[in-house]
Amino acid sequence: MLDRPNRTAVSAPSQEGGVARPNLLTVEQAKAMSIGDITTAFKDHLNPGQLHFMKLLGFHKVKIESAEGMYYTDQNGRKILDFFGGFGSLAFGHNHPRILEARQKFQDEKRHEIAIAFMSQYAAALAKNIAACSPGDLDMVFLGSSGSEAMEAAIKLAERAAGPKRPKVVYAENSFHGKTKGVLAITDGQLYRADFKLTDNTVRVPFADIAAVEKAFQSDPEIGVIVLETIQGGGGIIQAPAEYWQQLRALCDRYGVLWVADEVQCGYGRSGRFYAFEHYGVVPDVTALAKSLGAGKAAVGAMIARREVYMKAYGTSKTAMIHAMATFGGMGEACVTAIEGINVLYDDHLIDRAADSGDYLLERLQALKEKYPKIIKDVRGKGLMVGLEFQDFSQTLPMVLRPVVSVLDDKLKGSLSGFIGALLLRDYDVLVAFTEYNRNVIRLEPPLICERAHVDQFIAALDALLGRGIVRIVKDFVGSQIGS
């Protein structure tokens, strides 16, 4: 039950003399806010609980003043190498000049933003470009503002196309498909699911277990859809072998199940192909993009479906408006930003760059794994979507201490990755990300403009930090918390 304190009734404001202006900050005042002012506003009006974790990592001490290319610049003029990349949202780095120019021209010419009553040339052109980048007959596009919205659209379309007699959706362990209410039912994280009442037409299977998928299809004729991340991001950068995807496509065809591939994070060139599933020579029935589709300057998500599937769901005048674009889907400047982004992606050969820099990053990390086997457990990924997994804390200690500490490993999970992430930022000006489910994994998703020199800078920092040894890493992290 929510606390319900006594509240004084507030009378309607007087209209005499017009509506009074509240105490508002201007844009310039917002820009000039101090770290203390930002912290207070964050705690009072955004998310006080999240601030706790930001303080643990030391991220609350940083005020970003500007960003360009691979780097942030903070309030002290310090340049921070971005190997976080906004969970894959910054394919072009920060403030790519071509993206800025396209947006500025759109504004200067006062072109239209919201085109609900009329057809938008920008939404139509973006949809055409996305279809051109998509293999097979993936050519029908729904535009939205986020990955969650794109995945909601994908699941709704697939469920309608599967039909009312086949309403069940298969999803995988450790999946992440969004936090909105619909896709939360196929997001396998108790933290996010909490105690919300979710739809119960779902079936959970292990990821990359084709036998479990076939057993589910065989045993339940109500299954009409399966939804999978091609590379699990929140699960710790987990992949399935090529034969899994090929067998999955065959099983879906045999049982008449529609396959939805979630490419929100792993798509758009990040894996070294436009879509990660292209590595395996297969095409899903429905897929979704977001993250870098907005070129780091706009919120854009897209669902892409095979025409046959789309028409089955929404192909008549009576069904066309069931899931038409929402108010902010296909906004003019957002679409122009995405159109220019796709052109830059190919003009600058960034998909090839992701493959090359990704291979180099994995090679350098593998060498560190061999150098620090008691600290680094695994290195994995594809392109510039890489996971660096650390050992459980007990395994980093001398043999005599391991049995004693191992009973605490579950409670300590994520502590080492947190220590390393915090110290990389504090001492080496490098920003990395983490994963939702396997907290021992650091997630590396730098912009696709990443060059080998940037990889070398990151590796040199990580090598120097790991070279301190576990005892000093812990001491240095504890020291960073004093007075924070």
Side-chain angles (χ1 to χ4, degrees):
M1 290 286 290
L2 291 171
D3 291 332
R4 297 188 183 277
N6 293 325
R7 291 188 175 92
T8 303
V10 178
S11 59
S14 170
Q15 292 297 110
E16 188 176 337
V19 176
R21 184 183 191 275
N23 185 20
L24 302 175
L25 294 171
T26 66
V27 172
E28 286 304 312
Q29 287 171 327
K31 179 183 175 183
M33 287 173 76
S34 68
I35 287 286
D37 292 338
I38 298 168
T39 301
T40 299
F42 193 98
K43 180 175 64 177
D44 290 349
H45 305 296
L46 283 172
N47 192 328
Q50 186 179 353
L51 186 61
H52 164 75
F53 296 103
M54 297 180 80
K55 285 184 174 180
L56 278 177
L57 295 167
F59 290 3
H60 70 300
K61 298 177 181 178
V62 178
K63 177 188 176 185
I64 298 301
E65 297 287 3
S66 63
E68 184 175 4
M70 288 289 297
Y71 295 91
Y72 290 100
T73 301
D74 75 359
Q75 73 272 28
N76 301 312
R78 175 175 64 144
K79 290 195 174 299
I80 299 169
L81 179 65
D82 186 5
F83 260 59
F84 176 172
F87 293 123
S89 298
L90 292 161
F92 308 101
H94 299 272
N95 290 306
H96 191 285
R98 274 184 59 178
I99 304 299
L100 294 182
E101 183 180 356
R103 289 169 65 84
Q104 189 62 56
K105 187 175 182 182
F106 183 93
Q107 295 166 21
D108 290 345
E109 295 179 0
K110 295 182 172 63
R111 296 186 233 163
H112 60 279
E113 276 288 9
I114 296 176
I116 299 173
F118 309 106
M119 290 186 293
S120 165
Q121 60 268 53
Y122 309 114
L126 176 56
K128 184 175 174 62
N129 279 359
I130 292 172
C133 296
S134 303
D137 54 352
L138 288 168
D139 56 7
M140 298 299 291
V141 177
F142 168 89
L143 296 174
S145 303
S146 69
S148 290
E149 189 180 357
M151 284 304 298
E152 293 276 4
I155 297 303
K156 285 179 69 177
L157 178 134
E159 184 178 326
R160 270 194 60 80
K165 293 183 179 179
R166 306 189 69 178
K168 291 189 179 179
V169 180
V170 174
Y171 71 99
E173 293 176 0
N174 293 325
S175 59
F176 183 90
H177 298 292
K179 298 177 186 176
T180 50
K181 194 78 180 298
V183 289
L184 196 56
I186 52 171
T187 289
D188 187 40
Q190 191 52 46
L191 172 67
Y192 303 122
R193 294 167 73 95
D195 54 0
F196 293 111
K197 176 63 177 174
L198 304 176
T199 59
D200 57 5
N201 62 326
T202 57
V203 177
R204 181 172 175 263
V205 297
F207 183 69
D209 186 338
I210 199 66
V213 173
E214 183 165 20
K215 182 179 179 181
F217 287 3
Q218 284 177 339
S219 61
D220 194 341
E222 291 191 350
I223 289 173
V225 180
I226 183 168
V227 55
L228 299 164
E229 296 160 273
T230 314
I231 301 173
Q232 287 193 326
I237 317 299
I238 305 298
Q239 301 176 73
E243 56 268 23
Y244 172 82
W245 299 109
Q246 292 155 6
Q247 291 168 1
L248 176 72
R249 179 69 275 178
L251 279 178
C252 287
D253 291 341
R254 188 189 317 162
Y255 288 93
V257 174
L258 296 173
W259 167 27
V260 177
D262 183 343
E263 293 260 340
V264 165
Q265 189 170 155
C266 62
Y268 201 79
R270 180 149 298 277
S271 74
R273 294 286 189 275
F274 187 82
Y275 292 104
F277 59 72
E278 292 183 270
H279 287 281
Y280 311 118
V282 289
V283 180
D285 300 292
V286 186
T287 188
L289 294 169
K291 301 295 185 186
S292 286
L293 184 57
K297 300 299 288 186
V300 184
M303 174 213 73
I304 311 96
R306 291 173 47 227
R307 175 173 291 273
E308 178 187 358
V309 176
Y310 183 93
M311 296 303 286
K312 191 172 182 182
Y314 305 132
T316 69
S317 58
K318 290 183 178 180
T319 59
M321 301 305 292
I322 290 174
H323 200 90
M325 276 197 297
T327 307
F328 300 115
M331 285 185 68
E333 190 173 330
C335 287
V336 164
T337 305
I339 290 167
E340 186 69 1
I342 291 175
N343 278 275
V344 172
L345 186 72
Y346 286 97
D347 291 347
D348 290 359
H349 307 288
L350 295 184
I351 300 177
D352 296 326
R353 174 87 62 84
D356 178 73
S357 295
D359 286 346
Y360 184 60
L361 175 59
L362 287 165
E363 176 188 321
R364 296 297 310 274
L365 287 172
Q366 189 62 41
L368 285 187
K369 178 177 179 290
E370 293 169 7
K371 185 175 181 179
Y372 302 105
K374 292 183 178 179
I375 301 177
I376 298 177
K377 180 178 180 179
D378 194 22
V379 172
R380 53 183 178 266
K382 194 176 286 291
L384 286 174
M385 187 172 181
V386 172
L388 175 63
E389 184 174 1
F390 296 107
Q391 301 280 6
D392 282 335
F393 205 83
S394 65
Q395 299 305 303
T396 69
L397 301 174
M399 274 290 210
V400 66
L401 295 175
R402 289 183 188 179
V404 179
V405 179
S406 64
V407 297
L408 298 173
D409 274 339
D410 192 54
K411 290 185 177 179
L412 292 172
K413 199 170 280 289
S415 56
L416 184 55
S417 58
F419 298 164
I420 289 170
L423 293 174
L424 279 172
L425 178 62
R426 190 194 74 171
D427 297 344
Y428 300 97
D429 307 333
V430 173
L431 180 67
V432 297
F434 307 95
T435 58
E436 284 90 344
Y437 304 140
N438 185 344
R439 299 190 305 278
N440 282 349
V441 177
I442 278 181
R443 182 173 3 189
L444 305 172
E445 296 184 12
L448 306 190
I449 62 170
C450 180
E451 298 179 352
R452 290 188 172 211
H454 299 120
V455 173
D456 289 340
Q457 182 184 345
F458 167 72
I459 293 295
L462 183 60
D463 189 9
L465 179 55
L466 297 182
R468 299 181 188 183
I470 290 300
V471 172
R472 188 180 157 200
I473 287 173
V474 174
K475 282 181 64 178
D476 289 347
F477 175 80
V478 172
S480 74
Q481 296 299 299
I482 298 173
S484 65

